[in-house]
Amino acid sequence: MSTITIAFLTILGLSLSGFLLGAGRASRLRTTSGQHLHSLPSQHAAFVALWIVLPALLILIMWLLFQESMVQRFVLAAMPDSITAGLDQAQRDLLLSEIVNVNAGRIFQEPRPEVTEAARHYGALTETANWALVGVVAASCLAALAWAWTRINPQFRARNGVERILSGLMIMCSLIAILTTVGIVLSLLFEAFRFFQRVPLTEFFFGLRWEPQIAIRADQTAGYGAFGAVPVFTGTLLISAIALAVAIPIGLFSAVYLVEYANDRVRNIVKPIMELLAGIPTVVYGFFAVLIVSPAVVGGGGVIGVDVAPTSALVAGAVMGIMIIPFISSMSDDALTAVPRSLRDGSYAMGATKGETITKVLLPAALPGIVGGILLAASRAIGETMIVVMAAGLIANLSLNPLEGVTTVTVQIVSLLIGDTEFDNPKTLAAFALGLVLFLITLGLNIIALRVVQKYREQYD
């Protein structure tokens, strides 16, 4: 059992003990003193447990964040100057990596004696730091238990204290989510700005050739590269459009059938089966595209005299469309089911048929939910990578012909960030520029969908 697990178990055990002790003390106070406690015993117990858990977890997280860097600093400081003198940051990192590997037993060649000694020192310091963590966490829990224990009395407002702590936790979680989003956007903007310092905006947004095969080291030989992103975005939109063209009618019509025409028995069988499609791994869809759909499309094209590439946008888009059907059908089903019965009854009372009721009453009333499902499916289609890699290829081909191979933004991002890459090279920085544009596109889709939802929600609520 690792020391981190022991620390977690210590926090869990002491917090549980604190909960039971707090509840017992509050119950005894109410019984022996005969006074009415401001808060329930369970609220006193929760107050004690929260005061034990939260500071200890904060200490644990901060300790784990800084332990490794502090241990490495002590190890380097203890090494002879003949080993560490004159090393730049990269050489220090390499030396530390060698020490860590030797300590872990990952030895590829006989290490220097100084490195072996440093590895032993590193292991001893790490062991000491881990057990010190357990001790500090236990001491923190006991101190918090003692402090919270003394707070338990008939006048103490434990319920208010618990509510303040939980409110603070919720605010902290919201801040973490917001700061994470801001951090992601800023990192994209910063790296994309570095890319556009090297590649003109006009070339990226209007260039028709995407060949980022430039040298990433001075000793390599490669072309000059081209960063025209039009073929990449064209491929993304083409595959996404094919996927939505497959998924929207199938998903929407299946939802209408299940809500308005199918009996309960059929609905209980068909709906779970359709939702299973959302749980299939994308790599399985890729195999399905390569082994089943692609040969069928190529063979069908040969029968009617049409040349179809083995990797084509049509195959990738069609399989991707099958994958996103549950997103549209499930949300459309929920939206149609949530339409008030009074709207249906009113339509039938006016003499409308079932078809007229569906098209002129139910679908407009459920439009916000349907649009939400389509938006979710579109976002999934734009961000899908595995199926495109296996079924559409990697070549950035500027074409609207669905029978030819194309590529997408996410595939190019993955291919740019794999391998011997440096983050000050246009080839790798291009991935952030692509990511920034992809983020802006999905943000625009969200804004449009939000406007549609707001408009029709006001109309039918």
Side-chain angles (χ1 to χ4, degrees):
M1 184 182 296
S2 69
T3 49
I4 295 176
T5 305
I6 294 173
F8 271 115
L9 292 177
T10 302
I11 296 173
L12 185 63
L14 289 176
S15 62
L16 181 60
S17 302
F19 184 89
L20 297 175
L21 290 172
R25 177 176 169 81
S27 299
R28 284 195 301 274
L29 277 175
R30 187 168 60 178
T31 303
T32 57
S33 65
Q35 299 182 39
H36 180 71
L37 273 65
H38 174 272
S39 305
L40 297 173
S42 61
Q43 292 165 341
H44 284 280
F47 179 82
V48 175
L50 286 173
W51 265 101
I52 292 173
V53 168
L54 296 179
L57 281 180
L58 182 62
I59 291 172
L60 180 65
I61 293 171
M62 299 301 293
W63 192 291
L64 293 177
L65 284 177
F66 295 105
Q67 174 181 313
E68 184 67 18
S69 61
M70 293 301 296
V71 168
Q72 290 181 354
R73 181 173 297 182
F74 288 137
V75 169
L76 283 180
M79 293 188 73
D81 291 339
S82 58
I83 300 295
T84 59
L87 298 181
D88 57 22
Q89 188 57 44
Q91 291 170 326
R92 284 174 175 265
D93 293 341
L94 187 61
L95 177 60
L96 286 170
S97 175
E98 183 182 3
I99 292 171
V100 172
N101 285 330
V102 171
N103 176 66
R106 298 188 292 268
I107 301 173
F108 304 103
Q109 59 182 3
E110 187 62 30
R112 291 170 290 177
E114 295 85 356
V115 172
T116 304
E117 179 59 29
R120 279 198 290 268
H121 189 203
Y122 172 83
L125 282 180
T126 302
E127 178 100 13
T128 304
N130 287 338
W131 282 110
L133 169 63
V134 176
V136 170
V137 164
S140 166
C141 290
L142 292 174
L145 173 60
W147 180 82
W149 174 271
T150 60
R151 303 283 293 174
I152 300 176
N153 58 65
Q155 291 77 35
F156 180 58
R157 299 173 180 268
R159 183 185 64 195
N160 299 26
V162 171
E163 289 176 351
R164 281 196 296 271
I165 293 173
L166 294 180
S167 298
L169 280 176
M170 287 186 282
I171 292 172
M172 186 180 70
C173 292
S174 303
L175 286 175
I176 290 174
I178 294 171
L179 291 177
T180 302
T181 305
V182 172
I184 292 172
V185 173
L186 288 179
S187 64
L188 278 177
L189 286 173
F190 178 74
E191 300 297 342
F193 177 74
R194 292 177 62 197
F195 171 75
F196 289 122
Q197 283 181 320
R198 294 165 171 78
V199 177
L201 277 168
T202 52
E203 179 183 344
F204 182 75
F205 285 107
F206 302 106
L208 304 181
R209 199 161 60 92
W210 177 263
E211 295 175 359
Q213 304 304 321
I214 64 175
I216 57 177
R217 293 196 309 270
D219 58 343
Q220 284 186 321
T221 302
Y224 291 102
F227 294 94
V230 171
V232 180
F233 287 108
T234 302
T236 303
L237 295 177
L238 178 60
I239 292 178
S240 300
I242 294 172
L244 291 175
V246 171
I248 289 176
I250 296 176
L252 188 56
F253 288 159
S254 62
V256 171
Y257 169 75
L258 291 175
V259 172
E260 294 298 319
Y261 293 96
N263 56 40
D264 291 342
R265 183 180 178 186
V266 174
R267 176 182 171 84
N268 292 335
I269 295 174
V270 173
K271 189 175 181 183
I273 293 175
M274 292 189 65
E275 290 176 347
L276 281 177
L277 292 173
I280 298 176
T282 55
V283 68
V284 176
Y285 281 108
F287 284 131
F288 175 66
V290 172
L291 299 179
I292 306 297
V293 181
S294 181
V297 172
V298 173
V303 171
I304 61 175
V306 177
D307 290 333
V308 181
T311 56
S312 64
L314 180 61
V315 173
V319 176
M320 197 184 297
I322 296 171
M323 182 187 71
I324 63 177
I325 284 174
F327 296 96
I328 297 176
S329 65
S330 293
M331 295 196 69
S332 299
D333 188 308
D334 295 339
L336 289 169
T337 305
V339 174
R341 185 71 198 175
S342 59
L343 291 179
R344 289 182 176 83
D345 294 341
S347 176
Y348 291 137
M350 295 293 291
T353 63
K354 183 180 277 290
E356 291 170 338
T357 301
I358 292 171
T359 56
K360 296 182 180 179
V361 176
L362 296 184
L363 289 179
L367 193 60
I370 295 173
V371 171
I374 293 174
L375 171 68
L376 185 62
S379 300
R380 182 69 190 272
I382 291 173
E384 173 53 31
T385 304
M386 186 58 68
I387 295 175
V388 180
V389 170
M390 299 178 72
L394 299 171
I395 305 300
N397 181 24
L398 179 56
S399 173
L400 292 177
N401 186 353
L403 304 181
E404 295 181 356
V406 295
T407 189
T408 62
V409 173
T410 52
V411 171
Q412 287 302 308
I413 290 175
V414 171
S415 63
L416 290 170
L417 294 178
I418 290 178
D420 187 10
T421 56
E422 297 175 355
F423 276 84
D424 59 349
N425 190 288
K427 181 178 178 180
T428 52
L429 293 176
F432 294 94
L434 291 174
L436 178 62
V437 177
L438 191 63
F439 168 74
L440 294 176
I441 291 174
T442 53
L443 180 64
L445 286 175
N446 278 282
I447 292 173
I448 292 171
L450 185 62
R451 294 296 303 164
V452 172
V453 169
Q454 288 176 342
K455 178 181 177 181
Y456 283 92
R457 179 169 293 167
E458 291 172 358
Q459 186 174 349
Y460 288 98
D461 277 353

